[in-house]
Amino acid sequence: MKVLSDPELWQRAVAGEPTAFGELFERHSKAIYMFAFRRTADWSLAEDLTSVVFLEAWRRRADVRLVHESALPWLFGIATNVLRNARRSLRRHRAALDRLAIEDEPDFADDLAERLDDRRRMREILVGYAKLPRGEQEVVALCRWSGLSYEETAVALELPIGTVRSRLARARRRLGELDGESGHELDDNAADLAEDAV
């Protein structure tokens, strides 16, 4: 059976074929999920945000014509906007989680302990990451943490490629300075964090 491209699946989804959209979800949901986790340091919130991204993509399917071979840059653009819109509630959510004594939680399984450790490490990384301007944060999250090319990142953020390159260069310089202050490898640790956990 022929494997359909993202634009072909998209056209079928627009025509009302839900299995085509389901295939797009299967192809790209893990990347969106990891992107959301790397931005929030919370597995369950990342899952919720991934659902919102694909719900929004489904809702807007008739209004969008894919111009690239992959739907992923466009989905990352939606994810970036969902995260922007959720910023205030994320801050409230993080504050509530910080008030909890995670050390007092019972250890039900190795998997749970691993996920809590991932969340703790990601929160440490996000402390340095939060010191970057928002535009640089978005470029780092897409280029470094999610593996998009400069061109795909430019599509996702609706920016010129030169802007993506310059923001990434500035962010790398600033993260390098923060690495020296914190003793953490902020950029690379976040890129590597929990790849095998899902």
Side-chain angles (χ1 to χ4, degrees):
M1 184 173 170
K2 178 188 173 204
V3 176
L4 298 176
S5 69
D6 283 7
E8 290 170 323
L9 287 170
W10 193 261
Q11 286 304 317
R12 289 182 179 205
V14 168
E17 194 176 314
T19 56
F21 192 81
E23 178 64 29
L24 287 168
F25 177 84
E26 289 298 319
R27 282 184 190 174
H28 302 303
S29 60
K30 182 178 177 183
I32 299 298
Y33 178 59
M34 290 306 298
F35 173 76
F37 171 73
R38 288 178 180 134
R39 296 293 302 270
T40 64
D42 185 304
W43 291 111
S44 59
L45 182 57
E47 189 173 332
D48 291 345
L49 292 173
T50 300
S51 297
V52 171
V53 168
F54 281 93
L55 180 64
E56 182 67 13
W58 174 258
R59 190 183 66 74
R60 293 178 54 196
R61 72 191 183 283
D63 302 330
V64 173
R65 186 175 156 270
L66 293 184
V67 293
H68 290 81
E69 192 57 31
S70 174
L72 198 53
W74 185 69
L75 291 169
F76 276 124
I78 293 174
T80 299
N81 288 330
V82 165
L83 283 159
R84 280 181 193 156
N85 294 338
R87 189 177 309 265
R88 185 179 7 230
S89 61
L90 287 175
R91 277 193 296 258
R92 280 189 238 127
H93 182 71
R94 277 194 212 121
L97 287 176
D98 288 341
R99 289 190 294 271
L100 297 175
I102 293 174
E103 294 77 26
D104 295 337
E105 290 183 11
D107 186 11
F108 294 108
D110 290 339
D111 185 51
L112 176 62
E114 221 174 276
R115 286 179 175 261
L116 290 173
D117 188 50
D118 286 348
R119 184 172 73 182
R120 180 192 53 76
R121 287 190 350 229
M122 196 65 208
R123 284 186 177 185
E124 289 171 1
I125 290 168
L126 287 176
V127 169
Y129 177 78
K131 294 178 183 176
L132 296 175
R134 186 178 81 192
E136 291 177 21
Q137 289 178 13
E138 292 168 352
V139 169
V140 167
L142 292 171
C143 282
R144 294 288 298 148
W145 296 355
S146 298
L148 289 186
S149 68
Y150 293 130
E151 181 181 278
E152 291 168 329
T153 300
V155 169
L157 298 177
E158 299 177 354
L159 294 171
I161 284 182
T163 302
V164 170
R165 289 178 191 269
S166 62
R167 285 183 183 178
L168 186 59
R170 281 193 305 272
R172 283 179 173 159
R173 187 184 73 247
R174 287 183 179 138
L175 287 172
E177 292 167 2
L178 292 171
D179 286 347
E181 293 172 14
S182 69
H184 297 292
E185 296 175 7
L186 300 174
D187 195 15
D188 291 330
N189 279 347
D192 296 336
L193 186 61
E195 274 299 330
D196 299 324
V198 288

